[in-house]
Amino acid sequence: MADALAGKVARRLLPFLMLCYFFAYLDRVNVGFAALTMNRDIGLSASAYGFGAGLFFLGYVAFEVPSNLILERVGARLWIARIMVTWALVSASTAFVVGEWSFYAVRILLGLAEAGFFPGIILYLTYWFPARQRAGIVGTFMMAVPLSAAIGAPLSGLVMSGADGALGLAGWQWLYLLEAAPSLLLGVAALFALTDRPEAASWLSETERATLVARMAEDHRSRPGRTAHLGRALVAPRILGLGLVYFGLSTGVYAVGLWLPQIVSAFGFSLVATGFVIAIPYIVSALGMVAWTRRSDRTGERRRHTAIPTIGAGLALLAASQAGTPLLTIVALSLAALGIFAALPTFWTLPTSLLSGSAAAGGIALINALGSIGGFAGPAMMGWIRDATGRFDHALAAVAAVLILAGCLVLRLGRDVERGTVPSPHPDPA
C-alpha cells in the first residue's frame, strides 16, 4: 500500500512540478544564450554581462526566507501561482532592455519575482514524501533542470536564428518573449493543479488520505533530533555549513550554465549548432542524476553521495580548463555537469532530515539563499577573469576550486547531518 500510494502521489504532483521547474530554469538561464547577440546589441562587456547575469541572485536572496515562510502560511497552490505569474512577466520584459543598467534592473527584479520557488517546492515535497524516499523524489523533480537545458538550448538556437528580424525584433528579444509565455500559463494552472496538504487531497480516497497523513506524522516522530524552532535553525552551525556547500554547488551550476553558450560558440559553432552541442552535457546529467539518487535511496547513505560527485565535478572542470580541443572540452564539461547535478538532489535530503515545521521553511530557504550567492559569484567571477585574461581556462579552474572545497566541506560536517540530528542546547518546544 505504501509504495503504491507514494507512486500515486508522485504521478499526480511530480509531472506538473517538473514542468514548472523546466520553464523556471529556462527563464533563469536563457540569458546565457541571448548573450551571444544581445551583448553586442546593447553594448555589454564580459564583466557587465557576468555581473548582470549574477544580479538575479541578489534579488533572489533578498526575498528567499520571507517567501518560504509565506508559502507555509498561505499554501503552495496560491504562492507558487503568484511566483510563476510575476516571474513570467518580468522575464518577458528582458526583451526590452537597452543597456547595462536596464539589464541590471530586470535581473534583480526577476530574482525578486522568482524567490522562494525552488525552496518552496523542496518544502512542499516534505509534506508528501517521507525522508527515506526523498532523494529519488527530489532527483526526479530536479531532472527538470538538465532536461530544460538539453531541450532549451537547441530550441533557443532555433528561435534566435529563425525569428531574428521578425516584426522588427532581434532573435534574442523573441527568445525572452516566447520562453516566458509557458510560465505565465503554468502559473494560472497551478491554482487548479496543486493541493496544499495531504489532508486536502480530494484525488485520494479517504483511506489513502488517512494512510498518508499517518505516514508523514510517523516520519516526523521517527526523527526526534530535528529542530522545529525557526530561530535555532537559522543559526545552527551545520545549517550554515550546508549553506556554504550549496554556495559551491550553485557557483558551479551557474558559472557553467550561464557561460557555456559562449564557451561553445568560441569554438566557431553557429547559433543552431551551439544549441545542440550544449545539450550534450545536460543529457548526460539527466541520466546520471536519476541513477545516482536511486543508489543513495537504496543504500540510505547521503553524505558521500553528495561529496563524491561534487569533488568529481571540480576535477572535471580542472580538466576542461586544460583540454585545449572542442571534443575534450565538451567531454570534460559533460562530466562536470554530471557531477554537479548528481550531487544536488542528494544534498537536499540533508537539510530536510534536520528540520521540520517553520524551521524547515526558514532553514531550507536560508540554505538556498546562502547558496544562491554562489549563483551571483560564479557568473561574475567568470566575467571578470575572462575580461582580465581574455581566456576561459583560468575562470573554469577558479570554479573548480570552489567545487572541490564544497565537496570536502560535506565530509567535514559529520555523520550527524545524514542521521538527521542537529546539536541543540535546548529541546524544541512541544
Side-chain angles (χ1 to χ4, degrees), residues 68-103:
N68 235 31
L69 294 174
I70 293 171
L71 182 145
E72 188 199 20
R73 182 175 295 273
V74 306
R77 186 178 65 89
L78 179 62
W79 198 242
I80 294 300
R82 193 286 304 163
I83 289 173
M84 295 191 68
V85 169
T86 53
W87 101 46
L89 295 174
V90 176
S91 181
S93 72
T94 314
F96 306 106
V97 297
V98 294
E100 64 181 74
W101 290 106
S102 57
F103 178 61

PDB file of all heavy atoms in Angstrom, residues 68-103:
ATOM      1  N   ASN A  68       9.423  31.757   1.584  1.00  0.00           N
ATOM      2  CA  ASN A  68       9.115  30.410   2.045  1.00  0.00           C
ATOM      3  C   ASN A  68       8.216  30.412   3.276  1.00  0.00           C
ATOM      4  O   ASN A  68       7.359  29.535   3.438  1.00  0.00           O
ATOM      5  CB  ASN A  68      10.412  29.655   2.351  1.00  0.00           C
ATOM      6  CG  ASN A  68      10.498  28.344   1.589  1.00  0.00           C
ATOM      7  OD1 ASN A  68       9.966  28.247   0.489  1.00  0.00           O
ATOM      8  ND2 ASN A  68      11.169  27.357   2.147  1.00  0.00           N
ATOM      9  N   LEU A  69       8.399  31.395   4.137  1.00  0.00           N
ATOM     10  CA  LEU A  69       7.519  31.500   5.302  1.00  0.00           C
ATOM     11  C   LEU A  69       6.094  31.845   4.878  1.00  0.00           C
ATOM     12  O   LEU A  69       5.119  31.357   5.469  1.00  0.00           O
ATOM     13  CB  LEU A  69       8.067  32.550   6.275  1.00  0.00           C
ATOM     14  CG  LEU A  69       9.409  32.194   6.940  1.00  0.00           C
ATOM     15  CD1 LEU A  69       9.913  33.365   7.765  1.00  0.00           C
ATOM     16  CD2 LEU A  69       9.276  30.946   7.803  1.00  0.00           C
ATOM     17  N   ILE A  70       5.965  32.680   3.849  1.00  0.00           N
ATOM     18  CA  ILE A  70       4.629  32.997   3.328  1.00  0.00           C
ATOM     19  C   ILE A  70       3.998  31.752   2.721  1.00  0.00           C
ATOM     20  O   ILE A  70       2.799  31.478   2.913  1.00  0.00           O
ATOM     21  CB  ILE A  70       4.707  34.132   2.285  1.00  0.00           C
ATOM     22  CG1 ILE A  70       5.127  35.432   2.965  1.00  0.00           C
ATOM     23  CG2 ILE A  70       3.360  34.320   1.580  1.00  0.00           C
ATOM     24  CD1 ILE A  70       5.437  36.559   1.990  1.00  0.00           C
ATOM     25  N   LEU A  71       4.794  30.965   1.974  1.00  0.00           N
ATOM     26  CA  LEU A  71       4.253  29.739   1.380  1.00  0.00           C
ATOM     27  C   LEU A  71       3.718  28.800   2.452  1.00  0.00           C
ATOM     28  O   LEU A  71       2.644  28.219   2.291  1.00  0.00           O
ATOM     29  CB  LEU A  71       5.345  29.040   0.558  1.00  0.00           C
ATOM     30  CG  LEU A  71       4.928  27.756  -0.165  1.00  0.00           C
ATOM     31  CD1 LEU A  71       5.644  27.642  -1.504  1.00  0.00           C
ATOM     32  CD2 LEU A  71       5.210  26.498   0.663  1.00  0.00           C
ATOM     33  N   GLU A  72       4.463  28.659   3.560  1.00  0.00           N
ATOM     34  CA  GLU A  72       3.985  27.777   4.625  1.00  0.00           C
ATOM     35  C   GLU A  72       2.664  28.281   5.204  1.00  0.00           C
ATOM     36  O   GLU A  72       1.801  27.493   5.578  1.00  0.00           O
ATOM     37  CB  GLU A  72       5.043  27.687   5.736  1.00  0.00           C
ATOM     38  CG  GLU A  72       4.701  26.633   6.766  1.00  0.00           C
ATOM     39  CD  GLU A  72       5.439  26.815   8.079  1.00  0.00           C
ATOM     40  OE1 GLU A  72       5.922  27.922   8.344  1.00  0.00           O
ATOM     41  OE2 GLU A  72       5.490  25.849   8.845  1.00  0.00           O
ATOM     42  N   ARG A  73       2.496  29.606   5.219  1.00  0.00           N
ATOM     43  CA  ARG A  73       1.294  30.169   5.820  1.00  0.00           C
ATOM     44  C   ARG A  73       0.095  30.133   4.871  1.00  0.00           C
ATOM     45  O   ARG A  73      -1.013  29.765   5.277  1.00  0.00           O
ATOM     46  CB  ARG A  73       1.567  31.616   6.257  1.00  0.00           C
ATOM     47  CG  ARG A  73       0.390  32.294   6.939  1.00  0.00           C
ATOM     48  CD  ARG A  73       0.795  33.663   7.448  1.00  0.00           C
ATOM     49  NE  ARG A  73       1.803  33.552   8.491  1.00  0.00           N
ATOM     50  CZ  ARG A  73       1.523  33.388   9.786  1.00  0.00           C
ATOM     51  NH1 ARG A  73       0.262  33.303  10.186  1.00  0.00           N
ATOM     52  NH2 ARG A  73       2.485  33.317  10.671  1.00  0.00           N
ATOM     53  N   VAL A  74       0.297  30.499   3.595  1.00  0.00           N
ATOM     54  CA  VAL A  74      -0.852  30.618   2.674  1.00  0.00           C
ATOM     55  C   VAL A  74      -1.045  29.396   1.802  1.00  0.00           C
ATOM     56  O   VAL A  74      -2.090  29.253   1.163  1.00  0.00           O
ATOM     57  CB  VAL A  74      -0.716  31.869   1.781  1.00  0.00           C
ATOM     58  CG1 VAL A  74      -0.513  33.113   2.613  1.00  0.00           C
ATOM     59  CG2 VAL A  74       0.401  31.729   0.761  1.00  0.00           C
ATOM     60  N   GLY A  75      -0.048  28.503   1.757  1.00  0.00           N
ATOM     61  CA  GLY A  75      -0.170  27.295   0.957  1.00  0.00           C
ATOM     62  C   GLY A  75       0.571  27.391  -0.366  1.00  0.00           C
ATOM     63  O   GLY A  75       0.710  28.473  -0.948  1.00  0.00           O
ATOM     64  N   ALA A  76       1.026  26.245  -0.837  1.00  0.00           N
ATOM     65  CA  ALA A  76       1.822  26.202  -2.065  1.00  0.00           C
ATOM     66  C   ALA A  76       1.007  26.580  -3.292  1.00  0.00           C
ATOM     67  O   ALA A  76       1.521  27.207  -4.220  1.00  0.00           O
ATOM     68  CB  ALA A  76       2.422  24.804  -2.244  1.00  0.00           C
ATOM     69  N   ARG A  77      -0.245  26.200  -3.331  1.00  0.00           N
ATOM     70  CA  ARG A  77      -1.071  26.424  -4.521  1.00  0.00           C
ATOM     71  C   ARG A  77      -1.115  27.904  -4.881  1.00  0.00           C
ATOM     72  O   ARG A  77      -0.805  28.301  -6.018  1.00  0.00           O
ATOM     73  CB  ARG A  77      -2.485  25.895  -4.259  1.00  0.00           C
ATOM     74  CG  ARG A  77      -3.419  25.929  -5.462  1.00  0.00           C
ATOM     75  CD  ARG A  77      -4.761  25.336  -5.074  1.00  0.00           C
ATOM     76  NE  ARG A  77      -5.415  26.160  -4.064  1.00  0.00           N
ATOM     77  CZ  ARG A  77      -6.216  27.179  -4.343  1.00  0.00           C
ATOM     78  NH1 ARG A  77      -6.456  27.521  -5.595  1.00  0.00           N
ATOM     79  NH2 ARG A  77      -6.778  27.875  -3.380  1.00  0.00           N
ATOM     80  N   LEU A  78      -1.452  28.745  -3.942  1.00  0.00           N
ATOM     81  CA  LEU A  78      -1.580  30.173  -4.196  1.00  0.00           C
ATOM     82  C   LEU A  78      -0.212  30.820  -4.406  1.00  0.00           C
ATOM     83  O   LEU A  78      -0.029  31.628  -5.323  1.00  0.00           O
ATOM     84  CB  LEU A  78      -2.302  30.843  -3.028  1.00  0.00           C
ATOM     85  CG  LEU A  78      -2.495  32.359  -3.124  1.00  0.00           C
ATOM     86  CD1 LEU A  78      -3.351  32.718  -4.330  1.00  0.00           C
ATOM     87  CD2 LEU A  78      -3.132  32.901  -1.841  1.00  0.00           C
ATOM     88  N   TRP A  79       0.780  30.434  -3.586  1.00  0.00           N
ATOM     89  CA  TRP A  79       2.052  31.148  -3.619  1.00  0.00           C
ATOM     90  C   TRP A  79       2.886  30.749  -4.837  1.00  0.00           C
ATOM     91  O   TRP A  79       3.537  31.604  -5.442  1.00  0.00           O
ATOM     92  CB  TRP A  79       2.829  30.910  -2.327  1.00  0.00           C
ATOM     93  CG  TRP A  79       3.912  31.928  -2.123  1.00  0.00           C
ATOM     94  CD1 TRP A  79       5.249  31.703  -2.051  1.00  0.00           C
ATOM     95  CD2 TRP A  79       3.746  33.340  -1.999  1.00  0.00           C
ATOM     96  NE1 TRP A  79       5.934  32.878  -1.869  1.00  0.00           N
ATOM     97  CE2 TRP A  79       5.033  33.908  -1.841  1.00  0.00           C
ATOM     98  CE3 TRP A  79       2.632  34.184  -1.998  1.00  0.00           C
ATOM     99  CZ2 TRP A  79       5.239  35.276  -1.682  1.00  0.00           C
ATOM    100  CZ3 TRP A  79       2.838  35.541  -1.843  1.00  0.00           C
ATOM    101  CH2 TRP A  79       4.121  36.074  -1.694  1.00  0.00           C
ATOM    102  N   ILE A  80       2.865  29.485  -5.220  1.00  0.00           N
ATOM    103  CA  ILE A  80       3.588  29.077  -6.430  1.00  0.00           C
ATOM    104  C   ILE A  80       2.968  29.747  -7.648  1.00  0.00           C
ATOM    105  O   ILE A  80       3.681  30.181  -8.569  1.00  0.00           O
ATOM    106  CB  ILE A  80       3.593  27.552  -6.580  1.00  0.00           C
ATOM    107  CG1 ILE A  80       4.394  26.905  -5.449  1.00  0.00           C
ATOM    108  CG2 ILE A  80       4.163  27.140  -7.944  1.00  0.00           C
ATOM    109  CD1 ILE A  80       5.843  27.317  -5.381  1.00  0.00           C
ATOM    110  N   ALA A  81       1.648  29.857  -7.679  1.00  0.00           N
ATOM    111  CA  ALA A  81       0.982  30.552  -8.789  1.00  0.00           C
ATOM    112  C   ALA A  81       1.437  32.012  -8.859  1.00  0.00           C
ATOM    113  O   ALA A  81       1.745  32.527  -9.944  1.00  0.00           O
ATOM    114  CB  ALA A  81      -0.530  30.474  -8.621  1.00  0.00           C
ATOM    115  N   ARG A  82       1.494  32.684  -7.717  1.00  0.00           N
ATOM    116  CA  ARG A  82       1.943  34.087  -7.696  1.00  0.00           C
ATOM    117  C   ARG A  82       3.365  34.232  -8.209  1.00  0.00           C
ATOM    118  O   ARG A  82       3.668  35.102  -9.027  1.00  0.00           O
ATOM    119  CB  ARG A  82       1.854  34.614  -6.254  1.00  0.00           C
ATOM    120  CG  ARG A  82       1.972  36.132  -6.091  1.00  0.00           C
ATOM    121  CD  ARG A  82       3.375  36.676  -6.265  1.00  0.00           C
ATOM    122  NE  ARG A  82       4.352  36.068  -5.378  1.00  0.00           N
ATOM    123  CZ  ARG A  82       5.663  36.145  -5.571  1.00  0.00           C
ATOM    124  NH1 ARG A  82       6.178  36.774  -6.622  1.00  0.00           N
ATOM    125  NH2 ARG A  82       6.498  35.552  -4.720  1.00  0.00           N
ATOM    126  N   ILE A  83       4.250  33.327  -7.741  1.00  0.00           N
ATOM    127  CA  ILE A  83       5.641  33.386  -8.159  1.00  0.00           C
ATOM    128  C   ILE A  83       5.751  33.241  -9.675  1.00  0.00           C
ATOM    129  O   ILE A  83       6.433  34.018 -10.351  1.00  0.00           O
ATOM    130  CB  ILE A  83       6.459  32.286  -7.451  1.00  0.00           C
ATOM    131  CG1 ILE A  83       6.628  32.615  -5.954  1.00  0.00           C
ATOM    132  CG2 ILE A  83       7.832  32.126  -8.103  1.00  0.00           C
ATOM    133  CD1 ILE A  83       7.273  31.504  -5.153  1.00  0.00           C
ATOM    134  N   MET A  84       5.067  32.262 -10.221  1.00  0.00           N
ATOM    135  CA  MET A  84       5.231  31.963 -11.644  1.00  0.00           C
ATOM    136  C   MET A  84       4.687  33.072 -12.536  1.00  0.00           C
ATOM    137  O   MET A  84       5.284  33.413 -13.564  1.00  0.00           O
ATOM    138  CB  MET A  84       4.571  30.632 -11.978  1.00  0.00           C
ATOM    139  CG  MET A  84       5.235  29.448 -11.299  1.00  0.00           C
ATOM    140  SD  MET A  84       4.656  27.870 -11.923  1.00  0.00           S
ATOM    141  CE  MET A  84       5.314  27.884 -13.589  1.00  0.00           C
ATOM    142  N   VAL A  85       3.565  33.637 -12.177  1.00  0.00           N
ATOM    143  CA  VAL A  85       2.989  34.705 -12.998  1.00  0.00           C
ATOM    144  C   VAL A  85       3.897  35.926 -12.995  1.00  0.00           C
ATOM    145  O   VAL A  85       4.176  36.528 -14.053  1.00  0.00           O
ATOM    146  CB  VAL A  85       1.582  35.068 -12.497  1.00  0.00           C
ATOM    147  CG1 VAL A  85       1.085  36.348 -13.150  1.00  0.00           C
ATOM    148  CG2 VAL A  85       0.605  33.924 -12.791  1.00  0.00           C
ATOM    149  N   THR A  86       4.401  36.308 -11.823  1.00  0.00           N
ATOM    150  CA  THR A  86       5.243  37.510 -11.773  1.00  0.00           C
ATOM    151  C   THR A  86       6.589  37.289 -12.455  1.00  0.00           C
ATOM    152  O   THR A  86       7.086  38.170 -13.159  1.00  0.00           O
ATOM    153  CB  THR A  86       5.462  37.977 -10.319  1.00  0.00           C
ATOM    154  OG1 THR A  86       5.951  36.893  -9.531  1.00  0.00           O
ATOM    155  CG2 THR A  86       4.174  38.497  -9.714  1.00  0.00           C
ATOM    156  N   TRP A  87       7.183  36.099 -12.288  1.00  0.00           N
ATOM    157  CA  TRP A  87       8.474  35.901 -12.948  1.00  0.00           C
ATOM    158  C   TRP A  87       8.308  35.846 -14.467  1.00  0.00           C
ATOM    159  O   TRP A  87       9.186  36.283 -15.210  1.00  0.00           O
ATOM    160  CB  TRP A  87       9.223  34.710 -12.395  1.00  0.00           C
ATOM    161  CG  TRP A  87       9.200  33.420 -13.170  1.00  0.00           C
ATOM    162  CD1 TRP A  87       9.386  33.235 -14.514  1.00  0.00           C
ATOM    163  CD2 TRP A  87       9.017  32.118 -12.618  1.00  0.00           C
ATOM    164  NE1 TRP A  87       9.313  31.901 -14.826  1.00  0.00           N
ATOM    165  CE2 TRP A  87       9.100  31.200 -13.690  1.00  0.00           C
ATOM    166  CE3 TRP A  87       8.819  31.643 -11.326  1.00  0.00           C
ATOM    167  CZ2 TRP A  87       8.967  29.820 -13.503  1.00  0.00           C
ATOM    168  CZ3 TRP A  87       8.686  30.273 -11.150  1.00  0.00           C
ATOM    169  CH2 TRP A  87       8.748  29.383 -12.222  1.00  0.00           C
ATOM    170  N   ALA A  88       7.175  35.318 -14.954  1.00  0.00           N
ATOM    171  CA  ALA A  88       6.948  35.282 -16.395  1.00  0.00           C
ATOM    172  C   ALA A  88       6.886  36.698 -16.969  1.00  0.00           C
ATOM    173  O   ALA A  88       7.476  36.985 -18.018  1.00  0.00           O
ATOM    174  CB  ALA A  88       5.667  34.521 -16.707  1.00  0.00           C
ATOM    175  N   LEU A  89       6.186  37.580 -16.281  1.00  0.00           N
ATOM    176  CA  LEU A  89       6.051  38.956 -16.773  1.00  0.00           C
ATOM    177  C   LEU A  89       7.392  39.682 -16.758  1.00  0.00           C
ATOM    178  O   LEU A  89       7.735  40.401 -17.710  1.00  0.00           O
ATOM    179  CB  LEU A  89       5.020  39.704 -15.917  1.00  0.00           C
ATOM    180  CG  LEU A  89       3.585  39.180 -16.009  1.00  0.00           C
ATOM    181  CD1 LEU A  89       2.686  39.910 -15.013  1.00  0.00           C
ATOM    182  CD2 LEU A  89       3.039  39.316 -17.427  1.00  0.00           C
ATOM    183  N   VAL A  90       8.169  39.479 -15.688  1.00  0.00           N
ATOM    184  CA  VAL A  90       9.472  40.143 -15.610  1.00  0.00           C
ATOM    185  C   VAL A  90      10.434  39.563 -16.638  1.00  0.00           C
ATOM    186  O   VAL A  90      11.184  40.294 -17.301  1.00  0.00           O
ATOM    187  CB  VAL A  90      10.055  40.033 -14.190  1.00  0.00           C
ATOM    188  CG1 VAL A  90      11.464  40.636 -14.145  1.00  0.00           C
ATOM    189  CG2 VAL A  90       9.164  40.745 -13.182  1.00  0.00           C
ATOM    190  N   SER A  91      10.423  38.239 -16.798  1.00  0.00           N
ATOM    191  CA  SER A  91      11.315  37.607 -17.768  1.00  0.00           C
ATOM    192  C   SER A  91      11.035  38.123 -19.177  1.00  0.00           C
ATOM    193  O   SER A  91      11.967  38.419 -19.940  1.00  0.00           O
ATOM    194  CB  SER A  91      11.154  36.083 -17.726  1.00  0.00           C
ATOM    195  OG  SER A  91      12.029  35.454 -18.644  1.00  0.00           O
ATOM    196  N   ALA A  92       9.764  38.255 -19.529  1.00  0.00           N
ATOM    197  CA  ALA A  92       9.411  38.770 -20.858  1.00  0.00           C
ATOM    198  C   ALA A  92       9.910  40.196 -21.050  1.00  0.00           C
ATOM    199  O   ALA A  92      10.310  40.586 -22.157  1.00  0.00           O
ATOM    200  CB  ALA A  92       7.896  38.709 -21.049  1.00  0.00           C
ATOM    201  N   SER A  93       9.926  40.980 -19.978  1.00  0.00           N
ATOM    202  CA  SER A  93      10.348  42.379 -20.091  1.00  0.00           C
ATOM    203  C   SER A  93      11.834  42.515 -20.397  1.00  0.00           C
ATOM    204  O   SER A  93      12.283  43.583 -20.829  1.00  0.00           O
ATOM    205  CB  SER A  93      10.003  43.146 -18.807  1.00  0.00           C
ATOM    206  OG  SER A  93      10.849  42.754 -17.731  1.00  0.00           O
ATOM    207  N   THR A  94      12.614  41.422 -20.194  1.00  0.00           N
ATOM    208  CA  THR A  94      14.041  41.470 -20.527  1.00  0.00           C
ATOM    209  C   THR A  94      14.246  41.737 -22.017  1.00  0.00           C
ATOM    210  O   THR A  94      15.309  42.211 -22.429  1.00  0.00           O
ATOM    211  CB  THR A  94      14.746  40.157 -20.127  1.00  0.00           C
ATOM    212  OG1 THR A  94      14.338  39.783 -18.806  1.00  0.00           O
ATOM    213  CG2 THR A  94      16.254  40.310 -20.139  1.00  0.00           C
ATOM    214  N   ALA A  95      13.237  41.430 -22.819  1.00  0.00           N
ATOM    215  CA  ALA A  95      13.335  41.662 -24.267  1.00  0.00           C
ATOM    216  C   ALA A  95      13.526  43.141 -24.600  1.00  0.00           C
ATOM    217  O   ALA A  95      13.945  43.470 -25.716  1.00  0.00           O
ATOM    218  CB  ALA A  95      12.082  41.132 -24.963  1.00  0.00           C
ATOM    219  N   PHE A  96      13.243  44.024 -23.652  1.00  0.00           N
ATOM    220  CA  PHE A  96      13.244  45.456 -23.958  1.00  0.00           C
ATOM    221  C   PHE A  96      14.354  46.221 -23.236  1.00  0.00           C
ATOM    222  O   PHE A  96      14.315  47.441 -23.169  1.00  0.00           O
ATOM    223  CB  PHE A  96      11.867  46.047 -23.639  1.00  0.00           C
ATOM    224  CG  PHE A  96      10.757  45.311 -24.339  1.00  0.00           C
ATOM    225  CD1 PHE A  96       9.919  44.459 -23.640  1.00  0.00           C
ATOM    226  CD2 PHE A  96      10.586  45.441 -25.710  1.00  0.00           C
ATOM    227  CE1 PHE A  96       8.915  43.759 -24.294  1.00  0.00           C
ATOM    228  CE2 PHE A  96       9.586  44.752 -26.380  1.00  0.00           C
ATOM    229  CZ  PHE A  96       8.751  43.909 -25.666  1.00  0.00           C
ATOM    230  N   VAL A  97      15.350  45.498 -22.686  1.00  0.00           N
ATOM    231  CA  VAL A  97      16.482  46.199 -22.080  1.00  0.00           C
ATOM    232  C   VAL A  97      17.286  46.893 -23.179  1.00  0.00           C
ATOM    233  O   VAL A  97      17.348  46.428 -24.322  1.00  0.00           O
ATOM    234  CB  VAL A  97      17.382  45.235 -21.272  1.00  0.00           C
ATOM    235  CG1 VAL A  97      16.615  44.630 -20.105  1.00  0.00           C
ATOM    236  CG2 VAL A  97      17.970  44.140 -22.155  1.00  0.00           C
ATOM    237  N   VAL A  98      17.899  48.027 -22.818  1.00  0.00           N
ATOM    238  CA  VAL A  98      18.596  48.832 -23.835  1.00  0.00           C
ATOM    239  C   VAL A  98      20.057  49.109 -23.478  1.00  0.00           C
ATOM    240  O   VAL A  98      20.781  49.724 -24.252  1.00  0.00           O
ATOM    241  CB  VAL A  98      17.866  50.174 -24.066  1.00  0.00           C
ATOM    242  CG1 VAL A  98      16.499  49.936 -24.674  1.00  0.00           C
ATOM    243  CG2 VAL A  98      17.757  50.957 -22.761  1.00  0.00           C
ATOM    244  N   GLY A  99      20.484  48.665 -22.312  1.00  0.00           N
ATOM    245  CA  GLY A  99      21.857  48.921 -21.896  1.00  0.00           C
ATOM    246  C   GLY A  99      22.125  48.196 -20.595  1.00  0.00           C
ATOM    247  O   GLY A  99      21.257  47.486 -20.060  1.00  0.00           O
ATOM    248  N   GLU A 100      23.315  48.396 -20.031  1.00  0.00           N
ATOM    249  CA  GLU A 100      23.679  47.610 -18.859  1.00  0.00           C
ATOM    250  C   GLU A 100      22.821  47.922 -17.641  1.00  0.00           C
ATOM    251  O   GLU A 100      22.487  47.024 -16.877  1.00  0.00           O
ATOM    252  CB  GLU A 100      25.160  47.753 -18.528  1.00  0.00           C
ATOM    253  CG  GLU A 100      25.627  49.122 -18.125  1.00  0.00           C
ATOM    254  CD  GLU A 100      27.132  49.123 -17.848  1.00  0.00           C
ATOM    255  OE1 GLU A 100      27.913  49.057 -18.827  1.00  0.00           O
ATOM    256  OE2 GLU A 100      27.510  49.180 -16.663  1.00  0.00           O
ATOM    257  N   TRP A 101      22.389  49.175 -17.442  1.00  0.00           N
ATOM    258  CA  TRP A 101      21.629  49.498 -16.234  1.00  0.00           C
ATOM    259  C   TRP A 101      20.220  48.920 -16.279  1.00  0.00           C
ATOM    260  O   TRP A 101      19.721  48.421 -15.262  1.00  0.00           O
ATOM    261  CB  TRP A 101      21.604  51.006 -16.010  1.00  0.00           C
ATOM    262  CG  TRP A 101      22.959  51.509 -15.604  1.00  0.00           C
ATOM    263  CD1 TRP A 101      23.850  52.211 -16.355  1.00  0.00           C
ATOM    264  CD2 TRP A 101      23.604  51.278 -14.340  1.00  0.00           C
ATOM    265  NE1 TRP A 101      25.008  52.450 -15.660  1.00  0.00           N
ATOM    266  CE2 TRP A 101      24.895  51.892 -14.425  1.00  0.00           C
ATOM    267  CE3 TRP A 101      23.241  50.631 -13.168  1.00  0.00           C
ATOM    268  CZ2 TRP A 101      25.791  51.862 -13.360  1.00  0.00           C
ATOM    269  CZ3 TRP A 101      24.145  50.598 -12.106  1.00  0.00           C
ATOM    270  CH2 TRP A 101      25.392  51.209 -12.205  1.00  0.00           C
ATOM    271  N   SER A 102      19.571  48.974 -17.427  1.00  0.00           N
ATOM    272  CA  SER A 102      18.251  48.352 -17.525  1.00  0.00           C
ATOM    273  C   SER A 102      18.372  46.833 -17.426  1.00  0.00           C
ATOM    274  O   SER A 102      17.511  46.156 -16.859  1.00  0.00           O
ATOM    275  CB  SER A 102      17.547  48.747 -18.827  1.00  0.00           C
ATOM    276  OG  SER A 102      18.316  48.410 -19.969  1.00  0.00           O
ATOM    277  N   PHE A 103      19.469  46.269 -17.956  1.00  0.00           N
ATOM    278  CA  PHE A 103      19.723  44.834 -17.822  1.00  0.00           C
ATOM    279  C   PHE A 103      19.894  44.465 -16.357  1.00  0.00           C
ATOM    280  O   PHE A 103      19.306  43.490 -15.869  1.00  0.00           O
ATOM    281  CB  PHE A 103      20.972  44.479 -18.632  1.00  0.00           C
ATOM    282  CG  PHE A 103      21.383  43.032 -18.536  1.00  0.00           C
ATOM    283  CD1 PHE A 103      20.538  42.017 -18.964  1.00  0.00           C
ATOM    284  CD2 PHE A 103      22.638  42.691 -18.042  1.00  0.00           C
ATOM    285  CE1 PHE A 103      20.933  40.682 -18.890  1.00  0.00           C
ATOM    286  CE2 PHE A 103      23.038  41.370 -17.970  1.00  0.00           C
ATOM    287  CZ  PHE A 103      22.188  40.363 -18.395  1.00  0.00           C
TER     288      PHE A 103
END
